Amino acid sequence: MPDTHFYHYDKYDRTLLSERVEQFRDQVRRRLAGELTEEQFKPLRLTNGLYLQLHAYMLRIAIPYGTLSSRQLRQLAAIARKYDKGYGHFTTRQNLQLNWIRLEDAPDAVAMLAEVDMHSIQTSGNVVRNTTADHFAGAAADEIEDPRVWCEIVRQWSTLHPEFSFLPRKFKIAITGSPNDRAAVRIHDVGLRLWRNEQGETGFEVIVGGGLGRTPMIGKTVRAFLPKDEMLAYLEAVLRVYNRYGRRDNLFKARIKILVHEIGIEKMREEVEAEYAAIKDSALKLDPQTIEAIAAHFAPPPLPHRPAISGEVERLKLEEPDFALWLKSNTAPHKLAGYRIVTASLKPAGAPPGDASSVQMEGVADIADAYSQSEVRVSHEQNLVLPHVAVEDLPAVYRALAGLGFAEANVGKITDIIACPGLDYCALANARSIPVAQRISNHFANLARQHDIGDLKVKISGCINACGHHHVGHIGILGVDKNGVELYQISLGGDVDFGKTALGDIIGPAVAADRIVEAVDALVRTYLDRREEGERFVDAYRRIGVEPFKESVYAAV
Amino acid sequence: MAKNLSGDLTVASANRLADGVVVFLDDKGHWTRHLEQAALARDKRASELLLARARAESFSVVDPFLVAVAEDEQGDLEPISLREKIRVSGLTFEAIAADAVRYA
Ligand code: SF4
């Protein structure tokens, strides 16, 4: 099936990319020949997304706004098979990391990416990184507008933007087009939330200064309503203010969140608005033709009418309890009544969260071709999404996903754990993340029990950089290193839901690695004992506070 | 658990330039994948010399550094920190089998 409703690179994009591949090939050749020192080469490889981790090089591939065609996903699988160990890791930034790339092969790997209009540029360094979006974009029943149109505009503007190629620190933007924020816009350097005002116009709420890491902050609204065609000029103004005043003297204070915190949101607004007033009528104002031309790439696929109710689905619901649970947790309402959005869980019991083998990627690509208009999305929760599945096709999709190990009915449940790569791979880590996730996942594997426990987001990071978003987990787990021993700090009550965004509270001393499952089990038991009708874990925590949870954890460990 | 029987033991390690693989400097000044073949420095002065040699031999590797190790009664070496243990022994869990669907 041709990928018709995707953004296609134009000749400028393609020329730029092929030139970059050849430059990189030459840089790698010169490094291997000893013509470049590591000091000279490191910034060049990082610009191309190539990191050196504990055991190998890692290539971080940008998946713009988490959208992939089946063709692109197949190519990622092929690259992983040819140049890696046949698997990859989908990240909380909707990227894919290949963990075992040889430097010698890296230019060929990025050349293969370029064949399908993809790259790994700007996945490192102090630049605007891949813009992330709601993974249900273009399909969600609650969506006001497809945010990817605006992500793509940001991508084109920010790619190799000369003024912003040396920011004080990295810069992450997320955009959502739905009132139910699935893109976590309040924990990004800039979050854009599309909403409709009383006059019926849609525009952006512009949020700045959110972020996790060492100093977690929830973003603040700098502009409540921004007309859409002014988005780029406004972003440029925000970036200019940051570029001018952001702290370059201290790595730990260089993110925009610190600037906003230090000068206050009022002063930030004043600065941004003043800058904006000076440039708002410049070439950055988006004309309707430009917007329409880009929007045309994201036109909804031609979905034929399909019945909203299927006898086969109803029958299976009664006969197969796991299917019934899967329908509840792994499918979501689509704009059209005859369709559902399906999440393929990359978290089968005991698996490394977010990992998929080449065979599994190809399997998902095949399912997308057969049942979801060749479209796949990557969620920041490290799952894959099939955005347009007809209700009637759900049993077939369920079976096909089950064949890949991706039909675990656990989306949003306690085993749908976000975990960063941690000390098994990452050179910055203090402690391991993946084995902790695996043990929790195995302990709570029973699906009926998971559904009884209900929505519960566990997020694990291997260090304070918080790639695993532990600050906003209902249960957050942070690996720390105390005199060479791995310990895990537990926090409760974090949330990324819009209007409820909150940072978790640390409950007390860190817990030993071999007691972490007991600790989580104690938290869950406390919740089950104390919950009221319909109350989620995080709601119960907000009502009864930390004490009962704390008591049970420290009694159990 | 290996015991450090004779003070501040170190070996020199790095990642191989071409593929990032973890390597150690041996007595002949070659980089080896095997910790047991690593040149062992038994005191501070020897460590400094070892690091200097590693840097001088760093054409085919990236950023050599010293790793603190312990030696057991049989003379087997083991890094002291968990990070370095993982660098030596690899992932502490089973990665997805490359061409197999795990749960099918
Ligand atoms: S949170 Fe820390 S350990 Fe985990 S991937 Fe990020 S930097 Fe590495």
PDB file of all heavy atoms in Angstrom, chain A residues 263-291:
ATOM      1  N   ILE A 263      13.568  34.275  36.453  1.00  0.00           N
ATOM      2  CA  ILE A 263      13.062  35.636  36.175  1.00  0.00           C
ATOM      3  C   ILE A 263      11.549  35.729  36.397  1.00  0.00           C
ATOM      4  O   ILE A 263      11.011  36.825  36.472  1.00  0.00           O
ATOM      5  CB  ILE A 263      13.430  36.131  34.748  1.00  0.00           C
ATOM      6  CG1 ILE A 263      12.711  35.329  33.662  1.00  0.00           C
ATOM      7  CG2 ILE A 263      14.940  36.101  34.534  1.00  0.00           C
ATOM      8  CD1 ILE A 263      12.919  35.892  32.257  1.00  0.00           C
ATOM      9  N   GLY A 264      10.887  34.593  36.509  1.00  0.00           N
ATOM     10  CA  GLY A 264       9.435  34.603  36.722  1.00  0.00           C
ATOM     11  C   GLY A 264       8.693  34.645  35.397  1.00  0.00           C
ATOM     12  O   GLY A 264       9.206  35.144  34.390  1.00  0.00           O
ATOM     13  N   ILE A 265       7.483  34.097  35.389  1.00  0.00           N
ATOM     14  CA  ILE A 265       6.740  33.989  34.131  1.00  0.00           C
ATOM     15  C   ILE A 265       6.311  35.371  33.603  1.00  0.00           C
ATOM     16  O   ILE A 265       6.258  35.598  32.396  1.00  0.00           O
ATOM     17  CB  ILE A 265       5.542  33.005  34.259  1.00  0.00           C
ATOM     18  CG1 ILE A 265       4.889  32.732  32.899  1.00  0.00           C
ATOM     19  CG2 ILE A 265       4.507  33.482  35.256  1.00  0.00           C
ATOM     20  CD1 ILE A 265       5.740  31.988  31.920  1.00  0.00           C
ATOM     21  N   GLU A 266       6.077  36.328  34.518  1.00  0.00           N
ATOM     22  CA  GLU A 266       5.647  37.660  34.045  1.00  0.00           C
ATOM     23  C   GLU A 266       6.767  38.321  33.234  1.00  0.00           C
ATOM     24  O   GLU A 266       6.533  38.854  32.153  1.00  0.00           O
ATOM     25  CB  GLU A 266       5.253  38.588  35.205  1.00  0.00           C
ATOM     26  CG  GLU A 266       3.944  38.231  35.891  1.00  0.00           C
ATOM     27  CD  GLU A 266       4.091  37.011  36.790  1.00  0.00           C
ATOM     28  OE1 GLU A 266       5.226  36.726  37.229  1.00  0.00           O
ATOM     29  OE2 GLU A 266       3.070  36.329  37.025  1.00  0.00           O
ATOM     30  N   LYS A 267       7.955  38.278  33.787  1.00  0.00           N
ATOM     31  CA  LYS A 267       9.100  38.884  33.094  1.00  0.00           C
ATOM     32  C   LYS A 267       9.372  38.136  31.787  1.00  0.00           C
ATOM     33  O   LYS A 267       9.667  38.741  30.749  1.00  0.00           O
ATOM     34  CB  LYS A 267      10.329  38.818  34.022  1.00  0.00           C
ATOM     35  CG  LYS A 267      11.600  39.332  33.433  1.00  0.00           C
ATOM     36  CD  LYS A 267      11.614  40.855  33.328  1.00  0.00           C
ATOM     37  CE  LYS A 267      12.956  41.351  32.783  1.00  0.00           C
ATOM     38  NZ  LYS A 267      12.809  42.614  32.049  1.00  0.00           N
ATOM     39  N   MET A 268       9.255  36.811  31.842  1.00  0.00           N
ATOM     40  CA  MET A 268       9.467  36.002  30.640  1.00  0.00           C
ATOM     41  C   MET A 268       8.466  36.440  29.565  1.00  0.00           C
ATOM     42  O   MET A 268       8.822  36.631  28.399  1.00  0.00           O
ATOM     43  CB  MET A 268       9.270  34.520  30.994  1.00  0.00           C
ATOM     44  CG  MET A 268       9.553  33.574  29.857  1.00  0.00           C
ATOM     45  SD  MET A 268      11.334  33.425  29.556  1.00  0.00           S
ATOM     46  CE  MET A 268      11.334  32.560  27.989  1.00  0.00           C
ATOM     47  N   ARG A 269       7.218  36.592  29.994  1.00  0.00           N
ATOM     48  CA  ARG A 269       6.167  36.985  29.046  1.00  0.00           C
ATOM     49  C   ARG A 269       6.493  38.352  28.437  1.00  0.00           C
ATOM     50  O   ARG A 269       6.386  38.546  27.231  1.00  0.00           O
ATOM     51  CB  ARG A 269       4.813  37.024  29.776  1.00  0.00           C
ATOM     52  CG  ARG A 269       3.637  37.308  28.859  1.00  0.00           C
ATOM     53  CD  ARG A 269       2.325  37.228  29.608  1.00  0.00           C
ATOM     54  NE  ARG A 269       2.093  35.919  30.169  1.00  0.00           N
ATOM     55  CZ  ARG A 269       1.869  35.664  31.456  1.00  0.00           C
ATOM     56  NH1 ARG A 269       1.841  36.656  32.330  1.00  0.00           N
ATOM     57  NH2 ARG A 269       1.660  34.440  31.879  1.00  0.00           N
ATOM     58  N   GLU A 270       6.892  39.255  29.291  1.00  0.00           N
ATOM     59  CA  GLU A 270       7.230  40.609  28.830  1.00  0.00           C
ATOM     60  C   GLU A 270       8.333  40.553  27.761  1.00  0.00           C
ATOM     61  O   GLU A 270       8.225  41.175  26.710  1.00  0.00           O
ATOM     62  CB  GLU A 270       7.765  41.355  30.053  1.00  0.00           C
ATOM     63  CG  GLU A 270       7.640  42.841  30.046  1.00  0.00           C
ATOM     64  CD  GLU A 270       8.205  43.353  31.379  1.00  0.00           C
ATOM     65  OE1 GLU A 270       7.499  43.251  32.411  1.00  0.00           O
ATOM     66  OE2 GLU A 270       9.360  43.789  31.368  1.00  0.00           O
ATOM     67  N   GLU A 271       9.357  39.779  28.041  1.00  0.00           N
ATOM     68  CA  GLU A 271      10.486  39.662  27.105  1.00  0.00           C
ATOM     69  C   GLU A 271      10.052  39.014  25.789  1.00  0.00           C
ATOM     70  O   GLU A 271      10.399  39.475  24.707  1.00  0.00           O
ATOM     71  CB  GLU A 271      11.613  38.817  27.730  1.00  0.00           C
ATOM     72  CG  GLU A 271      12.321  39.458  28.894  1.00  0.00           C
ATOM     73  CD  GLU A 271      13.273  40.569  28.461  1.00  0.00           C
ATOM     74  OE1 GLU A 271      13.637  40.626  27.277  1.00  0.00           O
ATOM     75  OE2 GLU A 271      13.614  41.399  29.329  1.00  0.00           O
ATOM     76  N   VAL A 272       9.299  37.919  25.926  1.00  0.00           N
ATOM     77  CA  VAL A 272       8.882  37.190  24.725  1.00  0.00           C
ATOM     78  C   VAL A 272       7.955  38.069  23.887  1.00  0.00           C
ATOM     79  O   VAL A 272       8.112  38.183  22.665  1.00  0.00           O
ATOM     80  CB  VAL A 272       8.192  35.854  25.094  1.00  0.00           C
ATOM     81  CG1 VAL A 272       7.552  35.217  23.870  1.00  0.00           C
ATOM     82  CG2 VAL A 272       9.191  34.891  25.722  1.00  0.00           C
ATOM     83  N   GLU A 273       7.016  38.730  24.540  1.00  0.00           N
ATOM     84  CA  GLU A 273       6.054  39.550  23.792  1.00  0.00           C
ATOM     85  C   GLU A 273       6.762  40.725  23.110  1.00  0.00           C
ATOM     86  O   GLU A 273       6.403  41.112  21.998  1.00  0.00           O
ATOM     87  CB  GLU A 273       4.922  40.048  24.704  1.00  0.00           C
ATOM     88  CG  GLU A 273       3.982  38.936  25.214  1.00  0.00           C
ATOM     89  CD  GLU A 273       3.080  38.321  24.140  1.00  0.00           C
ATOM     90  OE1 GLU A 273       2.905  38.926  23.065  1.00  0.00           O
ATOM     91  OE2 GLU A 273       2.556  37.196  24.371  1.00  0.00           O
ATOM     92  N   ALA A 274       7.761  41.286  23.767  1.00  0.00           N
ATOM     93  CA  ALA A 274       8.496  42.408  23.160  1.00  0.00           C
ATOM     94  C   ALA A 274       9.243  41.919  21.915  1.00  0.00           C
ATOM     95  O   ALA A 274       9.210  42.555  20.852  1.00  0.00           O
ATOM     96  CB  ALA A 274       9.474  42.997  24.169  1.00  0.00           C
ATOM     97  N   GLU A 275       9.884  40.786  22.032  1.00  0.00           N
ATOM     98  CA  GLU A 275      10.609  40.208  20.889  1.00  0.00           C
ATOM     99  C   GLU A 275       9.624  39.868  19.770  1.00  0.00           C
ATOM    100  O   GLU A 275       9.863  40.134  18.589  1.00  0.00           O
ATOM    101  CB  GLU A 275      11.345  38.946  21.362  1.00  0.00           C
ATOM    102  CG  GLU A 275      12.213  38.287  20.330  1.00  0.00           C
ATOM    103  CD  GLU A 275      13.384  39.147  19.876  1.00  0.00           C
ATOM    104  OE1 GLU A 275      14.017  39.779  20.734  1.00  0.00           O
ATOM    105  OE2 GLU A 275      13.628  39.190  18.655  1.00  0.00           O
ATOM    106  N   TYR A 276       8.516  39.312  20.212  1.00  0.00           N
ATOM    107  CA  TYR A 276       7.497  38.882  19.255  1.00  0.00           C
ATOM    108  C   TYR A 276       6.928  40.074  18.479  1.00  0.00           C
ATOM    109  O   TYR A 276       6.753  40.019  17.261  1.00  0.00           O
ATOM    110  CB  TYR A 276       6.403  38.144  20.024  1.00  0.00           C
ATOM    111  CG  TYR A 276       5.208  37.784  19.199  1.00  0.00           C
ATOM    112  CD1 TYR A 276       5.340  36.903  18.135  1.00  0.00           C
ATOM    113  CD2 TYR A 276       3.957  38.325  19.475  1.00  0.00           C
ATOM    114  CE1 TYR A 276       4.242  36.574  17.366  1.00  0.00           C
ATOM    115  CE2 TYR A 276       2.864  37.993  18.715  1.00  0.00           C
ATOM    116  CZ  TYR A 276       3.012  37.125  17.657  1.00  0.00           C
ATOM    117  OH  TYR A 276       1.939  36.806  16.896  1.00  0.00           O
ATOM    118  N   ALA A 277       6.675  41.174  19.206  1.00  0.00           N
ATOM    119  CA  ALA A 277       6.110  42.366  18.560  1.00  0.00           C
ATOM    120  C   ALA A 277       7.029  42.832  17.427  1.00  0.00           C
ATOM    121  O   ALA A 277       6.565  43.294  16.384  1.00  0.00           O
ATOM    122  CB  ALA A 277       5.921  43.474  19.598  1.00  0.00           C
ATOM    123  N   ALA A 278       8.328  42.635  17.616  1.00  0.00           N
ATOM    124  CA  ALA A 278       9.283  43.106  16.611  1.00  0.00           C
ATOM    125  C   ALA A 278       9.335  42.207  15.378  1.00  0.00           C
ATOM    126  O   ALA A 278       9.720  42.658  14.300  1.00  0.00           O
ATOM    127  CB  ALA A 278      10.668  43.204  17.249  1.00  0.00           C
ATOM    128  N   ILE A 279       8.953  40.954  15.525  1.00  0.00           N
ATOM    129  CA  ILE A 279       9.130  40.034  14.378  1.00  0.00           C
ATOM    130  C   ILE A 279       7.819  39.436  13.869  1.00  0.00           C
ATOM    131  O   ILE A 279       7.821  38.667  12.926  1.00  0.00           O
ATOM    132  CB  ILE A 279      10.101  38.869  14.729  1.00  0.00           C
ATOM    133  CG1 ILE A 279       9.593  38.057  15.929  1.00  0.00           C
ATOM    134  CG2 ILE A 279      11.500  39.364  14.978  1.00  0.00           C
ATOM    135  CD1 ILE A 279      10.411  36.796  16.205  1.00  0.00           C
ATOM    136  N   LYS A 280       6.715  39.828  14.488  1.00  0.00           N
ATOM    137  CA  LYS A 280       5.500  39.059  14.175  1.00  0.00           C
ATOM    138  C   LYS A 280       5.010  39.224  12.740  1.00  0.00           C
ATOM    139  O   LYS A 280       4.348  38.338  12.216  1.00  0.00           O
ATOM    140  CB  LYS A 280       4.389  39.342  15.176  1.00  0.00           C
ATOM    141  CG  LYS A 280       3.672  40.655  15.054  1.00  0.00           C
ATOM    142  CD  LYS A 280       2.806  40.780  16.274  1.00  0.00           C
ATOM    143  CE  LYS A 280       1.424  41.089  16.012  1.00  0.00           C
ATOM    144  NZ  LYS A 280       0.795  42.267  15.967  1.00  0.00           N
ATOM    145  N   ASP A 281       5.357  40.334  12.110  1.00  0.00           N
ATOM    146  CA  ASP A 281       4.920  40.488  10.722  1.00  0.00           C
ATOM    147  C   ASP A 281       6.014  40.135   9.731  1.00  0.00           C
ATOM    148  O   ASP A 281       5.944  40.472   8.556  1.00  0.00           O
ATOM    149  CB  ASP A 281       4.412  41.918  10.503  1.00  0.00           C
ATOM    150  CG  ASP A 281       3.188  42.180  11.368  1.00  0.00           C
ATOM    151  OD1 ASP A 281       2.323  41.271  11.440  1.00  0.00           O
ATOM    152  OD2 ASP A 281       3.105  43.250  11.994  1.00  0.00           O
ATOM    153  N   SER A 282       7.016  39.426  10.235  1.00  0.00           N
ATOM    154  CA  SER A 282       8.120  39.047   9.348  1.00  0.00           C
ATOM    155  C   SER A 282       7.714  37.840   8.509  1.00  0.00           C
ATOM    156  O   SER A 282       6.560  37.408   8.524  1.00  0.00           O
ATOM    157  CB  SER A 282       9.337  38.683  10.198  1.00  0.00           C
ATOM    158  OG  SER A 282       9.054  37.500  10.915  1.00  0.00           O
ATOM    159  N   ALA A 283       8.706  37.311   7.813  1.00  0.00           N
ATOM    160  CA  ALA A 283       8.442  36.148   6.956  1.00  0.00           C
ATOM    161  C   ALA A 283       7.985  34.936   7.752  1.00  0.00           C
ATOM    162  O   ALA A 283       7.536  33.939   7.183  1.00  0.00           O
ATOM    163  CB  ALA A 283       9.720  35.809   6.197  1.00  0.00           C
ATOM    164  N   LEU A 284       8.099  35.014   9.071  1.00  0.00           N
ATOM    165  CA  LEU A 284       7.711  33.858   9.884  1.00  0.00           C
ATOM    166  C   LEU A 284       6.207  33.721  10.027  1.00  0.00           C
ATOM    167  O   LEU A 284       5.712  32.704  10.485  1.00  0.00           O
ATOM    168  CB  LEU A 284       8.335  33.978  11.275  1.00  0.00           C
ATOM    169  CG  LEU A 284       9.845  33.741  11.319  1.00  0.00           C
ATOM    170  CD1 LEU A 284      10.398  34.145  12.667  1.00  0.00           C
ATOM    171  CD2 LEU A 284      10.161  32.288  11.020  1.00  0.00           C
ATOM    172  N   LYS A 285       5.478  34.781   9.661  1.00  0.00           N
ATOM    173  CA  LYS A 285       4.017  34.649   9.730  1.00  0.00           C
ATOM    174  C   LYS A 285       3.605  33.653   8.656  1.00  0.00           C
ATOM    175  O   LYS A 285       4.002  33.744   7.504  1.00  0.00           O
ATOM    176  CB  LYS A 285       3.366  36.009   9.492  1.00  0.00           C
ATOM    177  CG  LYS A 285       1.881  35.949   9.655  1.00  0.00           C
ATOM    178  CD  LYS A 285       1.275  37.288   9.970  1.00  0.00           C
ATOM    179  CE  LYS A 285      -0.225  37.100  10.045  1.00  0.00           C
ATOM    180  NZ  LYS A 285      -0.793  37.740  11.176  1.00  0.00           N
ATOM    181  N   LEU A 286       2.812  32.689   9.066  1.00  0.00           N
ATOM    182  CA  LEU A 286       2.489  31.600   8.147  1.00  0.00           C
ATOM    183  C   LEU A 286       1.302  31.975   7.265  1.00  0.00           C
ATOM    184  O   LEU A 286       0.233  32.326   7.777  1.00  0.00           O
ATOM    185  CB  LEU A 286       2.159  30.345   8.957  1.00  0.00           C
ATOM    186  CG  LEU A 286       3.344  29.763   9.718  1.00  0.00           C
ATOM    187  CD1 LEU A 286       2.878  28.894  10.874  1.00  0.00           C
ATOM    188  CD2 LEU A 286       4.228  28.976   8.767  1.00  0.00           C
ATOM    189  N   ASP A 287       1.512  31.910   5.956  1.00  0.00           N
ATOM    190  CA  ASP A 287       0.368  32.227   5.101  1.00  0.00           C
ATOM    191  C   ASP A 287      -0.502  30.981   4.924  1.00  0.00           C
ATOM    192  O   ASP A 287      -0.028  29.852   5.053  1.00  0.00           O
ATOM    193  CB  ASP A 287       0.823  32.830   3.766  1.00  0.00           C
ATOM    194  CG  ASP A 287       1.691  31.864   2.994  1.00  0.00           C
ATOM    195  OD1 ASP A 287       1.199  30.779   2.656  1.00  0.00           O
ATOM    196  OD2 ASP A 287       2.877  32.196   2.761  1.00  0.00           O
ATOM    197  N   PRO A 288      -1.775  31.220   4.621  1.00  0.00           N
ATOM    198  CA  PRO A 288      -2.709  30.074   4.568  1.00  0.00           C
ATOM    199  C   PRO A 288      -2.286  29.009   3.567  1.00  0.00           C
ATOM    200  O   PRO A 288      -2.472  27.819   3.810  1.00  0.00           O
ATOM    201  CB  PRO A 288      -4.039  30.712   4.146  1.00  0.00           C
ATOM    202  CG  PRO A 288      -3.897  32.170   4.412  1.00  0.00           C
ATOM    203  CD  PRO A 288      -2.436  32.504   4.398  1.00  0.00           C
ATOM    204  N   GLN A 289      -1.667  29.430   2.435  1.00  0.00           N
ATOM    205  CA  GLN A 289      -1.266  28.426   1.435  1.00  0.00           C
ATOM    206  C   GLN A 289      -0.211  27.470   1.992  1.00  0.00           C
ATOM    207  O   GLN A 289      -0.264  26.262   1.743  1.00  0.00           O
ATOM    208  CB  GLN A 289      -0.690  29.105   0.166  1.00  0.00           C
ATOM    209  CG  GLN A 289      -1.690  29.871  -0.632  1.00  0.00           C
ATOM    210  CD  GLN A 289      -1.831  31.310  -0.126  1.00  0.00           C
ATOM    211  OE1 GLN A 289      -1.579  31.612   1.040  1.00  0.00           O
ATOM    212  NE2 GLN A 289      -2.257  32.189  -1.011  1.00  0.00           N
ATOM    213  N   THR A 290       0.741  28.037   2.752  1.00  0.00           N
ATOM    214  CA  THR A 290       1.787  27.182   3.331  1.00  0.00           C
ATOM    215  C   THR A 290       1.164  26.178   4.286  1.00  0.00           C
ATOM    216  O   THR A 290       1.474  24.979   4.249  1.00  0.00           O
ATOM    217  CB  THR A 290       2.816  28.058   4.102  1.00  0.00           C
ATOM    218  OG1 THR A 290       3.295  29.043   3.216  1.00  0.00           O
ATOM    219  CG2 THR A 290       3.966  27.224   4.641  1.00  0.00           C
ATOM    220  N   ILE A 291       0.285  26.700   5.137  1.00  0.00           N
ATOM    221  CA  ILE A 291      -0.344  25.799   6.117  1.00  0.00           C
ATOM    222  C   ILE A 291      -1.135  24.715   5.388  1.00  0.00           C
ATOM    223  O   ILE A 291      -1.021  23.523   5.697  1.00  0.00           O
ATOM    224  CB  ILE A 291      -1.259  26.592   7.080  1.00  0.00           C
ATOM    225  CG1 ILE A 291      -0.425  27.626   7.854  1.00  0.00           C
ATOM    226  CG2 ILE A 291      -1.982  25.654   8.038  1.00  0.00           C
ATOM    227  CD1 ILE A 291      -1.232  28.588   8.693  1.00  0.00           C
TER     228      ILE A 291
END
